Amino acid sequence: MPCTTILVGKKASYDGSTMIARNDDSPSGQFTPKKFVVVHPEEQPRKYKSVLSHVEIDLPEEALRYTAVPNALEGEGIWAAHGINAAGVGMTATETITSNARVLGADPLVEYVPAQDGAEEIPGGIGEEDIVSVVLPYIHSAREGVTRLGSLLEKYGTYEMNGIAFSDKNEIWWLETIGGHHWIARRVPDEAYVVMPNQFGIDAFDLEDALNAQENHMCSADLKEFIEKHHLDLSQDGSFSARDAFGSHDDSDHVYNTARAWYMLRTLNPRTLVWDGPDADYTPFSDDLPWCMVPEKKITVEDVKYVLSSHYQGTPYDPYASYGDKTMCGAYRSIGINRNDVMALIQMRPEGEPLQWLAFASNAFNVLAPFYTDIDTTPGYMSGTTGKVSTENFYWMSRMIAAMADASYSKSVFHIERYQEKVAAKSHELLNRYDTLLEQETDEETRKKIQEEANEKIAGMLQCEAADTLDKVLYELSGQMKNAYARSDA
């Protein structure tokens, strides 16, 4: 899946939270309806079987309750995408990334081979369909998530290259797969943030730390021998670069991937470096963009939403630009596109309950709202997505708003901005109110009921504001169509 990720360390965020966020995008020409649910321990299978790869995995007896954002339609598996478990660990999986022929030749992807000509089928490895479901219910820290997923990759392999984020209150880890069975993971520095488009991202990597103390790096046990055997280290000076060894440097990266990272870094560090012009330190096609940076100011939830909704505003590459030289409009793949299905921001707060912020459909036109996760059920407006287009759930309402606003952009954009600002303000207002109630309550069952009540209030607010915005953009679109008909009559 084409996606975009941002990870924010606790000293880089506005309130000391760790934040991991990702756009879950569909392939070109497709939409994948999503829903927000709670998976209880008794609903978790003891033997997992992948729909796509047919791999079977025995799972531990004891599972934790967790939230998830799975596909709303059956047929291709669960694709749980993002969630927080009862131990306070968050996870987002996965960011599809790239590799190179040397890596894939040395450790081929483990692909499913169907039964044919009398030969039995050969199961494939695990992939985006499976990873949250077989990892999140069984871990108690971000570091433990890396360890469990790493062991599964080594045993079963994977059929695709992926990046996965784990978080708890203290730290964030980012894991990237290498070929079929190998992997590396790096701890996000507390004072920094990381941006990831669809390509292998980790640059500097300390193999000695990964194979010994594992303070900030982890990897497959045989990674050093793997690198040496297949001549993957391309450094001239002995400073190992994981990106050079395991990543891609294709021309398509410069159109599809690197520009997204460039824009996010440019937005969050506008004065740190020169991003534009002939003397730029980095450009949209720089292969050496830093994996992490210390932001110029602390990063908020709204900052995360902005960069994951962006379409190169303020640059010559904005496809919606209505002024100036338009020869480069749409030159690079935007982050906020019509194929966004869900954006989830997992916020592990130093004080207070974890939050799972959600936005459905195109990020350029949608809104982000928070939900508590120590719950038994989610609001029907968030969980009731079906294949039928309907105003009765948040996914399809968001999809309709986006389609109409995109078609009448110049007239509708200020309605969208007001919608986004209003929902953001009301979300913080409701959080402040219910956080205060939770601070005063110690009984676990009562606390759970308070969180579920808050979630229902937030869902009700979304339903009201989305309906109002849909009316406004529909009015603008109908006016635009009326003018078009008048011109055709003339």
Side-chain angles (χ1 to χ4, degrees):
M1 290 287 187
C3 307
T4 310
T5 295
I6 180 170
L7 317 171
V8 184
K10 61 186 179 183
K11 293 182 180 178
S13 73
Y14 71 108
D15 66 346
S17 298
T18 60
M19 295 192 290
I20 61 175
R22 179 174 64 92
N23 289 352
D24 193 335
D25 303 341
S26 289
S28 181
Q30 299 180 29
F31 295 146
T32 304
K34 302 292 271 187
K35 59 184 179 179
F36 178 44
V37 301
V38 178
V39 182
H40 293 275
E42 60 272 20
E43 298 171 323
Q44 189 70 5
R46 294 298 174 261
K47 182 182 282 291
Y48 178 90
K49 183 172 182 179
S50 171
V51 172
L52 296 185
S53 72
H54 294 205
V55 65
E56 295 187 15
I57 302 173
D58 290 323
L59 297 175
E61 288 293 321
E62 299 297 324
L64 296 166
R65 184 192 73 246
Y66 65 101
T67 59
V69 192
N71 288 359
L73 307 182
E74 295 183 358
E76 294 189 350
I78 299 172
W79 299 79
H82 325 262
I84 299 173
N85 70 21
V89 182
M91 182 178 180
T92 178
T94 69
E95 176 85 31
T96 305
I97 60 174
T98 55
S99 188
N100 61 65
R102 298 180 306 282
V103 168
L104 297 177
D107 184 7
L109 298 174
V110 184
E111 298 179 339
Y112 168 66
V113 179
Q116 56 184 349
D117 300 327
E120 294 185 357
E121 71 173 16
I122 301 174
I126 59 175
E128 184 169 354
E129 173 199 346
D130 323 296
I131 288 176
V132 169
S133 298
V134 299
V135 175
L136 186 58
Y138 310 104
I139 58 177
H140 297 80
S141 69
R143 183 181 290 264
E144 191 177 325
V146 172
T147 302
R148 174 165 175 79
L149 178 55
S151 66
L152 291 171
L153 290 167
E154 291 168 12
K155 182 175 182 179
Y156 298 100
T158 181
Y159 55 84
E160 58 188 357
M161 292 284 295
N162 279 314
I164 299 95
F166 299 93
S167 66
D168 53 39
K169 285 186 177 182
N170 296 314
E171 57 184 9
I172 300 170
W173 282 84
W174 175 253
L175 181 150
E176 294 183 314
T177 62
I178 300 166
H181 301 85
H182 291 82
W183 57 274
I184 64 173
R186 184 173 164 186
R187 185 181 184 276
V188 176
D190 292 340
E191 69 280 2
Y193 69 97
V194 169
V195 297
M196 284 294 308
N198 293 118
Q199 60 189 148
F200 196 98
I202 295 175
D203 45 22
F205 189 80
D206 188 339
L207 272 171
E208 292 305 312
D209 179 42
L211 295 170
N212 295 287
Q214 298 186 342
E215 291 183 4
N216 297 296
H217 306 79
M218 288 191 274
C219 69
S220 310
D222 67 338
L223 189 64
K224 188 172 183 179
E225 292 78 13
F226 177 70
I227 293 169
E228 291 173 354
K229 179 179 179 180
H230 298 286
H231 312 289
L232 298 175
D233 185 355
L234 303 183
S235 66
Q236 292 276 25
D237 59 3
S239 57
F240 177 69
S241 168
R243 188 183 300 172
D244 289 343
F246 309 128
S248 63
H249 303 286
D250 300 332
D251 291 339
S252 59
D253 281 330
H254 298 154
V255 174
Y256 197 79
N257 293 324
T258 54
R260 282 182 277 157
W262 168 83
Y263 188 81
M264 288 190 283
L265 295 170
R266 178 184 184 272
T267 300
L268 298 174
N269 283 80
R271 292 172 293 277
T272 305
L273 297 163
V274 178
W275 302 99
D276 302 285
D279 299 321
D281 296 300
Y282 294 105
T283 71
F285 46 86
S286 293
D287 288 326
D288 58 345
L289 289 166
W291 179 70
C292 65
M293 290 190 73
V294 176
E296 292 179 8
K297 63 179 182 64
K298 292 187 176 183
I299 296 173
T300 67
V301 168
E302 289 71 36
D303 292 328
V304 172
K305 174 65 169 71
Y306 182 85
V307 295
L308 289 183
S309 304
S310 59
H311 43 86
Y312 302 106
Q313 300 96 309
T315 77
Y317 317 121
D318 184 356
Y320 294 108
S322 58
Y323 56 87
D325 183 1
K326 299 181 183 179
T327 57
M328 292 296 288
C329 288
Y332 302 114
R333 192 268 206 197
S334 294
I335 298 172
I337 54 174
N338 64 342
R339 293 183 285 111
N340 300 141
D341 286 317
V342 58
M343 171 195 163
L345 188 163
I346 292 171
Q347 183 181 13
M348 296 298 189
R349 299 186 290 176
E351 298 178 1
E353 295 293 329
L355 296 173
Q356 187 164 351
W357 297 72
L358 293 171
F360 286 138
S362 174
N363 281 359
F365 306 102
N366 65 13
V367 292
L368 184 67
F371 294 90
Y372 292 101
T373 59
D374 184 13
I375 52 175
D376 287 330
T377 186
T378 57
Y381 193 56
M382 307 301 294
S383 64
T385 311
T386 67
K388 181 181 178 181
V389 178
S390 169
T391 58
E392 295 177 359
N393 63 77
F394 191 46
Y395 177 85
W396 285 116
M397 278 292 282
S398 299
R399 184 64 72 197
M400 286 187 278
I401 290 170
M404 294 179 188
D406 178 76
S408 57
Y409 184 83
S410 62
K411 297 289 187 180
S412 295
V413 65
F414 78 97
H415 294 306
I416 298 299
E417 289 174 351
R418 290 179 181 178
Y419 174 43
Q420 292 168 339
E421 290 171 1
K422 196 169 185 180
V423 167
K426 287 190 173 183
S427 293
H428 285 292
E429 178 186 343
L430 287 167
L431 283 179
N432 289 334
R433 183 191 312 171
Y434 281 96
D435 279 348
T436 300
L437 293 176
L438 288 167
E439 287 172 3
Q440 299 167 356
E441 183 57 62
T442 58
D443 180 72
E444 289 187 11
E445 285 303 311
T446 303
R447 288 177 59 84
K448 186 176 292 185
K449 290 179 181 178
I450 291 172
Q451 293 182 57
E452 290 179 346
E453 178 185 314
N455 287 354
E456 291 289 349
K457 289 282 188 182
I458 290 167
M461 176 267 292
L462 288 175
Q463 191 167 9
C464 178
E465 297 300 335
D468 183 58
T469 303
L470 182 63
D471 285 344
K472 290 173 180 175
V473 296
L474 179 59
Y475 178 83
E476 299 294 354
L477 181 61
S478 64
Q480 183 171 302
M481 293 172 63
K482 179 181 179 181
N483 292 335
Y485 291 146
R487 286 194 299 271
S488 66
D489 287 342

